[in-house]
Amino acid sequence: MKKRVVVTGIGAVTPLGNDVVTTWKNMKEGVLGIDAVTKFDTSEFKCKFAGEVKNFDPTLYIAKGEVRKTDLYTQYAVAAASQAYEDSGLTSEDVSPERFGVYIGSGIGGIHTLIAEHSKAIEKGYGRVSPFFVPMMISNIASGTVAIKYNAQGPNIGIVTACATSTNSIGEAYRAIRHGYADVMLAGGSEAAITPLCFAGFISCQALSQSEDKERASVPFDAERAGFVMGEGGAVMMLEEYEHAKARGAKIYAEVVGYGCTNDAYHMTAPNPEAIASSKAIELAAKEGGITADEHVYVNAHGTGTPLNDKTETLALKRAFGQDAYKLHVSSTKSMTGHMLGAAGGIEAIASVLALKEGVVPPTINYKVKDEACDLNITPNTAQEADLKYALSTSLGFGGHNGCLAFKKI
């Protein structure tokens, strides 16, 4: 018998705040978390803006002596996971270690460590490379570090599917519980890639916005959109088997009721303009969750602000729901956070369950110019109250990875 899965804890570090309460408040108010880059000099770069995490203190979650042994992406992951764990009210007595798993991924991993240690090797010799270089750099170490922190001896996978990383992590964790392999899972993703090298790479492949106005840099679904803005941070959910959560009296944010996972099999970076596989991911999640499009459904769109993504995603929703797609409440919170890459699906899933819980659709801010190819109800500029029953959170990643999560109000 397939088990029910619910969300009992949430945690996040984002460009809008270093916890969920602050992030969600700012999302509802349409606060822009994007500003001029402070991490390095952008004078030689065509792109000037990013969604940076501000005033982050890793020692709130990691022992001071251990901080230097962890890459920033791991620090964000541990912070978000720690918040989700505390928020859930779970204790070590509530779950057997072998029934507690962690699926936390990263699209890029420890890029700060890679750059720093490579520079050290070139300047001072390869004998000076840190013994912590490899474990700090690898993309699975965030998931492993969180497991060590909470003695989670169950399923543990560090998923890497670019922009779909967090969505796949949460979706696969949902399946692990639904099919009986675990009772409790911490799932999500993290990213800390705002570096000169990553900027250069994304600029070279013409993915980043080159706007000179921060308020027009990340403008999903707007006719003048011209690329995404890099963001960073971590976002993690505590997923729990329903009866397990109920037995311990846990608060429940929402129920996870569906998950779709497909691949375009089309191009290294560009989405298939026919939206065949991306619409299928949405259809799979909606069908499993028993969702049909109406005015009670919210979609937190991937909505990167690139010309192809937003047009394709609009088509994907139309292919999945037909004319009923126009009844959906849609928005892209990337207009506020920027694109948090491997952490994007995590914070967007959190926004989805909070939208359900509070009956508020966060806005797509700084929207000005209508694009006829992106003509759904994208909740422009101002949050809207709505009687929501279901939410979908979509992610479309480099490599053709498509993921969609379905949540139900409970």
Side-chain angles (χ1 to χ4, degrees):
M1 182 180 293
K2 294 180 180 178
K3 300 176 183 293
R4 294 174 67 186
V5 182
V6 293
V7 180
T8 58
I10 49 179
V13 175
T14 80
L16 293 176
N18 292 340
D19 54 58
V20 170
V21 171
T22 307
T23 295
W24 179 237
K25 177 179 180 293
N26 285 332
M27 266 190 189
K28 290 187 293 182
E29 294 177 358
V31 174
L32 181 63
I34 293 165
D35 210 333
V37 174
T38 64
K39 292 178 179 289
F40 59 90
D41 181 3
T42 60
S43 58
E44 296 184 14
F45 293 86
K46 297 176 181 178
C47 304
K48 308 295 183 182
F49 302 113
E52 295 181 338
V53 169
K54 306 160 189 73
N55 303 313
F56 175 68
D57 182 1
T59 63
L60 294 174
Y61 311 98
I62 303 170
K64 188 174 182 179
E66 296 297 310
V67 170
R68 66 181 184 85
K69 302 176 185 177
T70 57
D71 189 89
L72 185 58
Y73 100 93
T74 297
Q75 294 171 18
Y76 290 157
V78 172
S82 298
Q83 291 176 22
Y85 184 92
E86 293 300 318
D87 185 44
S88 74
L90 191 79
T91 69
S92 58
E93 288 75 32
D94 292 325
V95 61
S96 300
E98 65 272 15
R99 301 289 298 172
F100 185 179
V102 181
Y103 286 3
I104 296 176
S106 178
I108 295 175
I111 190 70
H112 283 273
T113 297
L114 176 61
I115 293 169
E117 293 302 318
H118 178 261
S119 297
K120 187 191 297 182
I122 297 301
E123 294 170 5
K124 300 181 180 180
Y126 285 92
R128 299 293 298 276
V129 170
S130 169
F132 299 109
F133 166 53
V134 172
M136 287 174 66
M137 175 192 66
I138 51 181
S139 295
N140 68 303
I141 206 66
S143 198
T145 300
V146 170
I148 293 169
K149 182 178 177 71
Y150 293 112
N151 191 30
Q153 299 176 20
N156 192 300
I157 300 175
I159 290 174
V160 181
T161 49
C163 316
T165 292
S166 286
T167 296
N168 289 147
S169 297
I170 294 168
E172 297 300 329
Y174 154 71
R175 287 180 175 173
I177 296 173
R178 186 164 173 76
H179 295 287
Y181 298 105
D183 295 322
V184 174
M185 298 285 294
L186 282 167
S190 65
E191 206 76 85
I194 299 176
T195 63
L197 184 63
C198 289
F199 250 56
F202 279 122
I203 290 169
S204 292
C205 69
Q206 300 181 328
L208 291 188
S209 168
Q210 298 182 22
S211 172
E212 296 181 357
D213 178 357
K214 67 180 180 181
E215 294 187 353
R216 298 296 291 161
S218 182
V219 286
F221 304 113
D222 191 296
E224 295 181 352
R225 66 189 184 279
F228 74 83
V229 174
M230 282 185 69
E232 63 176 350
V236 174
M237 284 182 156
M238 177 71 85
L239 303 187
E240 195 165 348
E241 194 273 322
Y242 174 69
E243 295 297 336
H244 188 278
K246 187 178 176 181
R248 69 179 186 85
K251 70 175 180 295
I252 295 173
Y253 285 95
E255 182 174 0
V256 191
V257 292
Y259 169 53
C261 177
T262 65
N263 192 278
D264 283 353
Y266 172 77
H267 188 271
M268 185 181 294
T269 57
N272 184 333
E274 298 300 317
I276 297 168
S278 52
S279 65
K280 187 64 176 179
I282 296 168
E283 289 175 17
L284 289 169
K287 182 178 180 180
E288 186 176 21
I291 301 171
T292 55
D294 61 25
E295 63 275 12
H296 301 297
V297 180
Y298 168 54
V299 179
N300 188 298
H302 190 55
T304 58
T306 60
L308 286 177
N309 176 92
D310 297 2
K311 179 181 178 180
T312 301
E313 189 170 13
T314 301
L315 178 59
L317 288 167
K318 291 178 180 178
R319 288 185 66 119
F321 296 114
Q323 283 296 115
D324 286 344
Y326 289 96
K327 299 178 182 178
L328 299 165
H329 296 274
V330 182
S331 72
S332 172
T333 48
K334 287 186 179 71
S335 60
M336 295 174 275
T337 64
H339 192 344
M340 292 166 61
L341 306 177
I347 190 56
E348 289 156 17
I350 289 172
S352 297
V353 302
L354 291 175
L356 281 180
K357 187 175 178 63
E358 296 188 12
V360 177
V361 178
T364 305
I365 69 168
N366 293 325
Y367 179 82
K368 289 185 179 180
V369 186
K370 184 175 181 179
D371 183 345
E372 294 299 333
C374 302
D375 60 347
L376 299 181
N377 174 18
I378 55 99
T379 320
N381 301 315
T382 305
Q384 296 178 2
E385 293 185 0
D387 179 19
L388 301 173
K389 296 180 180 177
Y390 294 98
L392 296 168
S393 181
T394 60
S395 294
L396 287 65
F398 277 11
H401 299 281
N402 305 303
C404 182
L405 295 165
F407 301 96
K408 179 181 179 181
K409 186 173 183 178
I410 195 169

